Structure formats: structure tokens, C-alpha cells
Amino acid sequence: MTGDSHEPEPQAPVEAAGGEKRARNSWAAAGFFATLAALAVGHLAAALAAPRSSPLSALADTVIAVVPLAVSHWFIELVGTADKPLLTIGLAAGVLAAGAGLGVLWRTRPLPAAIGVLALAGVGGAAAVTRPGLGASAAVPAVLAAIVVLAALAWWARRGHAATVKGRRGFFGALAGVAAASVAASWWAGRVGPAAIEADREAVTLPEPDVPAVEPGPVADFDVDHLTPYRVPNGDFYRIDTAITVPRVDVDTWSLRVHGMVDREMTYTFDDLLGRELIERDITLACVSNPVGGDLVGNARWLGVALADLLAEAGPDPAADQLVSRSTDGWTAGSPTELVFDGRDAMIAVGMNGEALPVLHGWPARLVIPGLYGYVSATKWLTELELTTFDAYDAYWITRGWSTPRPIKTQSRIDTPRSRADAGTVTVAGVAWAQHRGIAAVDLRIDNGEWQPCALSDVATGDTWRQWRFEWDASSGEHTLTVRATDGEGNPQTSAVQGVIPDGATGLHSVTVTVS
Ligand SMILES: Nc1nc2c(c(=O)[nH]1)N[C@H]1C(S)=C(S)[C@@H](COP(=O)(O)O)O[C@H]1N2
Ligand SMILES: [Mo]
């Protein structure tokens, strides 16, 4: 220490003070653009090999895995299913801001700044390496990202910062160009590169079902505008999972392993599944985090292998009361073995509404168990079935505060009208569900009137939702409509209001309609 730093600084001339600020800004810009290029290059490197190892994606996946339920629930209440894009954008903004700060630091203290860059990349690399299903090579994109930032800032420190305004802008433009080209190339890699699986999926010809679904009857669908269809098309089907980057499973190397408390471990390939007896079933999936009146529920026609038959081949220990299903990205669900073997149509699905499972819905295989919420039954990108006990293992959402499996709550929803209607006869319609128990009745109440019975659509089993409709003689003014279902066991839906945590929301769905 010379002590010089304690000397008062000479008064800086006004222009120099402005120049100082400009210089700092340009170093911040260099850090920002270097980091932008680095994130994009890392993303591209991941897209070419293992898309989930993109530093940004892995970081977002890690945040999702570690954030307490209260926080994620608050965020999802606030922004709904924009949660994942917003989390990713927020993290990107944070990393870019850190990059800008490191650029400023580099100007006066290059060594700590370089260490800061390595630390930042280290966080991204560590996030990728520790993601279930990824190994040490998942650090490569983060390493490349670090190299991009270090090289860019080193060049900037030597030559760039002293360049003309035009030269500096050219440098920033080049980095932005690298970023844009990398993002475009990542997109291309996702379509035609090694991680492109859509072609595999489209090449699959699903066999005809050995046991076709029982048709619900002539009126599975009422002809009412804005009423959700009995079978929701794949493109409209709700999607819920923890994956920022959807797992891309190579069907040629994919396998399903049955292990744990069994007499013999079994392994099945995708062709093994297609070669077995295939059943087809209409089953409604519901998310436990669906609020009253919400749309995190859908019905589809699934094609697949009977789960109980397949598990029986492994010889399960009767003491194994929990079936843990694990996806290729490490997510797990724990289902009661008792329900799997009680005769219901629990299945390993390979088809959804007449096509191979869409990538977003679990390609190449997923679990579907009627009567259980998705988080304890509907594992997508399925790769393991482990027989164990509830004492021995807590699945993904159980460790984060959701309840161990309980039956789905009886629910009903008004789809139309939602806010306005013309005076006269108005068709009020919606769907109701109580999977595996079925829906026996639906009633509608206008304002504070009597409960009035609704007409019900045809269903084949209690495993699906059921449409309902009511012809309402609507008079001008504001009216409140409330719906209530009764399940197949004769129990009316409760009006007691409960939030989604820990085992599903209850309460009656109401809408206020202005009639004119
Ligand atoms: N691998 C994996 N499978 C998963 C999940 C997940 O996060 N990861 N989420 C589950 C939840 S909470 C629900 S509600 C259903 C939703 O299935 P869908 O996206 O096909 O509608 O998938 C289940 N399967
Ligand atoms: Mo869910």
C-alpha cells in the first residue's frame, strides 16, 4: 500500500467527468453484449448435444427445483402459465446485468472481473451438471460461454474501448450478431439436429387398439358455442410440468425399467410396448393446482399398455404400497399400488387422441391413472417404474409441500356464458368431473334461486368429465350463475372454499353475467 489512494483526488474537469461516465457506460455495454453472445453460444452448444444443459435453461430448472412452494405458488397465482417464460427472461436479465457490472469492474480491476465471469459461468455449469439425467459433459456449454465473455472483454480491454465510436458500435453489433445467429442455429438444431425428435415421432405408426375405447354414446358433445369439447385436441390440451427445456427422448435408446421391490427387474423398449396388447381409454387428467373454474384439466383418448399387466411380470412385493414413476429429467410421482391394481384402467400411454404422444405431453410414453391428480400419477417422458413404500420415498411434489395421493375433488365449471348474454333463452353449459367416481348430476343456481337440474352428455365411464347444459330464460340485468356437481357416489360438490394447496381446490364456480 502506498497510501496514495487516501490522497484527495484532483478536481476532475467537467468534460472529463462526462467522459468518465461515457467510458463506464461503454464498458458496461461491452460486458452486456459479451454476456448476451455467451448465453446464446452456450444455448447453441446445448442445442447440438443436450438441450437441457443450456446454462440459462439449467439455471431456470434449478430455481424451479429449489424455490419453496409458497414462493412458486405466489408467482404462478400472479402470472399463471407465463411463469416459465417470465422466470427465464428474469434470469437472463439478471445474468446480463451481472455481465454489464463485470464489464465495468474489468476496466479498473480485470482479475477480479475475470474471476467473477468464471464464477457466473460456474453457477450455470453447476446447475447443468446437477440436473437429473445430465452428466459432467453438461458443463461444456457454460465453459464455452465463459470463454466467449473472457475473450470478448480481453479484446475490449486491449483495443476495443479505445476504438472510435464507430469501431465500438461495430464490436457490440458483432456480439449481438453472434447472439442472434446462435439463437437461430439453436432453433434449427431443434428441428433437424440430433435433438430433433419430431421426425421420429411422426414416423411412428401406432397399432390399432386391441381393446378400443367404449364410445360414450350419441351425445358426448353438446352443440354449444364456447363449450369445451369432450375430447380436447392435443394442441389445446393444458400443459403442466417443471421442465424449462422439454426433455427430448431418443426413442431408439429409450427404455422403461421396472425395479425396486420386485422378484425380477424388467426392461421394455418402445417396440416392446407397441408389440403388446394395447388398450384405448378416454380419461380426464386434472392438475391439483387447478383453481375453481380453472382450465388445468382436459380429457383425451389414450392408447397404451395396461399398467397392472406389465407390472405383474416383474412380480411386485405385496408390501410395496407405492409405485414411483420417474421421468427422464428426474421428476417423480408416487401412486398408491393398491389403486393401480384395483381394476381401473391405469396405463402406460403411447398415443393421445389418435397420434403418438406429443413431445409436450410425454413422448414417447407416459403414465395415466384415472382418479388421481397429475402430480401423483401422470409422469411424462416416463423411464422408470419403481416399487417401494410411502415410508421409504417421497416423490417430487410431496417433498415440496403437496399432499400424498388423495382422490380428485368433485368439480364443475361454467364455460358459457362467462360475462354477457342477450335477454331471452341462453344456453348455459360447461363440464364437470370427479374421475373414477363419475358425475351423476349437475345443478345450476340463478342468483339466489333453487338448484335446478341440468341435462348431461353421454359418457362411457366415470373416468372422464361430463358436459352439462341448461336453458336459461335470461332477463335483463346482472345475474350470478353458480354450478354444483354430484359425483357417482351421490356426494354433492362442497361449497366450502379451499385453495389448491395441499390436495386440490374446493368451492363452487360462479360467474356474473350482464344480460341486455
Ligand atoms: N416428467 C414430468 N411429468 C409430469 C409433470 C412434470 O413436471 N414432469 N407434471 C405432472 C402434472 S403436475 C400434471 S397436472 C400432468 C399434466 O400433464 P399434461 O401436461 O399432459 O396436461 O403431468 C404430470 N407429469
Ligand atoms: Mo399438476
Side-chain angles (χ1 to χ4, degrees):
M1 288 293 282
T2 61
D4 282 355
S5 57
H6 298 294
E7 298 287 304
E9 296 268 333
Q11 282 287 57
V14 176
E15 314 90 88
E20 165 74 16
K21 193 165 171 219
R22 264 204 298 282
R24 220 178 328 110
N25 284 347
S26 75
W27 281 83
F32 174 91
F33 283 106
T35 309
L36 184 69
L39 282 177
V41 166
H43 192 68
L44 172 59
L48 292 170
R52 292 173 53 236
S53 66
S54 162
L56 199 54
S57 169
L59 215 53
D61 273 334
T62 306
V63 170
I64 289 176
V66 302
V67 78
L69 182 57
V71 175
S72 59
H73 183 65
W74 163 81
F75 188 58
I76 289 168
E77 291 266 275
L78 201 67
V79 303
T81 44
D83 58 337
K84 285 190 194 125
L86 286 176
L87 170 63
T88 313
I89 290 167
L91 283 173
V95 172
L96 291 170
L102 289 168
V104 173
L105 180 64
W106 196 298
R107 182 177 168 222
T108 50
R109 310 190 61 196
L111 188 61
I115 292 171
V117 170
L118 290 174
L120 199 58
V123 171
V129 167
T130 53
R131 290 306 83 219
L134 294 181
S137 62
V140 170
V143 170
L144 290 176
I147 292 172
V148 168
V149 177
L150 294 177
L153 285 179
W155 186 86
W156 176 259
R158 268 192 41 218
R159 308 253 317 268
H161 76 280
T164 59
V165 171
K166 202 164 156 230
R168 294 202 296 258
R169 291 210 179 124
F171 178 62
F172 299 154
L175 288 174
V178 167
S182 301
V183 169
S186 310
W187 177 83
W188 168 83
R191 315 222 122 205
V192 301
I197 48 172
E198 202 50 52
D200 290 355
R201 196 187 148 256
E202 276 159 19
V204 169
T205 312
L206 293 176
E208 288 299 311
D210 297 285
V211 191
V214 179
E215 290 302 335
V219 201
D221 273 289
F222 287 132
D223 182 15
V224 176
D225 283 349
H226 307 297
L227 171 59
T228 308
Y230 169 68
R231 277 199 267 145
V232 178
N234 292 352
D236 298 338
F237 206 91
Y238 84 95
R239 172 205 167 191
I240 290 288
D241 54 62
T242 58
I244 288 285
T245 299
V246 173
R248 284 174 235 268
V249 177
D250 177 2
V251 73
D252 296 326
T253 55
W254 176 86
S255 68
L256 173 62
R257 186 162 78 99
V258 182
H259 65 111
M261 295 166 68
V262 292
D263 292 340
R264 54 205 155 267
E265 275 200 29
M266 302 292 290
T267 303
Y268 303 88
T269 65
F270 188 63
D271 284 338
D272 290 340
L273 295 188
L274 294 192
R276 296 175 67 98
E277 180 185 77
L278 293 178
I279 59 171
E280 186 187 51
R281 292 289 183 271
D282 293 345
I283 297 168
T284 297
L285 282 190
C287 184
V288 68
S289 59
N290 190 37
V292 172
D295 56 9
L296 302 179
V297 53
N299 184 52
R301 180 160 289 184
W302 308 95
L303 176 77
V305 168
L307 178 62
D309 292 355
L310 183 128
L311 288 178
E313 293 174 354
D317 182 336
D321 62 3
Q322 180 174 221
L323 174 69
V324 171
S325 46
R326 190 169 279 113
S327 78
T328 57
D329 67 352
W331 188 86
T332 52
S335 320
T337 331
E338 197 193 333
L339 303 189
V340 170
F341 285 106
D342 77 355
R344 72 185 67 203
D345 292 319
M347 63 198 275
I348 299 162
V350 293
M352 180 178 185
N353 290 326
E355 48 177 281
L357 270 189
V359 174
L360 285 175
H361 297 289
W363 162 262
R366 76 174 305 168
L367 216 55
V368 176
I369 306 179
L372 289 174
Y373 286 115
Y375 80 109
V376 287
S377 68
T379 304
K380 306 192 271 190
W381 315 294
L382 179 68
T383 187
E384 266 181 58
L385 293 169
E386 179 181 358
L387 284 134
T388 178
T389 62
F390 279 102
D391 281 345
Y393 184 77
D394 283 331
Y396 188 93
W397 283 118
I398 312 308
T399 60
R400 290 162 175 82
W402 292 90
S403 156
T404 47
R406 304 223 180 105
I408 289 179
K409 313 266 180 90
T410 303
Q411 273 295 342
S412 51
R413 185 179 78 199
I414 301 169
D415 285 351
T416 181
R418 277 276 172 132
S419 58
R420 358 193 97 257
D422 294 330
T425 303
V426 173
T427 303
V428 185
V431 284
W433 61 93
Q435 289 94 302
H436 208 56
R437 300 188 300 280
I439 292 294
V442 174
D443 297 278
L444 188 73
R445 188 173 65 194
I446 316 287
D447 299 319
N448 292 318
E450 296 283 299
W451 286 107
Q452 304 187 66
C454 302
L456 296 177
S457 65
D458 294 335
V459 286
T461 74
D463 292 342
T464 67
W465 63 13
R466 192 163 191 181
Q467 294 184 347
W468 58 268
R469 68 182 287 170
F470 182 88
E471 303 308 317
W472 171 37
D473 185 14
S475 58
S476 306
E478 210 160 79
H479 297 285
T480 302
L481 311 181
T482 307
V483 66
R484 182 190 71 181
T486 300
D487 74 8
E489 294 170 356
N491 298 312
Q493 178 185 341
T494 177
S495 60
V497 174
Q498 192 206 289
V500 296
I501 297 173
D503 62 353
T506 62
L508 303 180
H509 186 217
S510 275
V511 296
T512 305
V513 180
T514 308
V515 179
S516 49

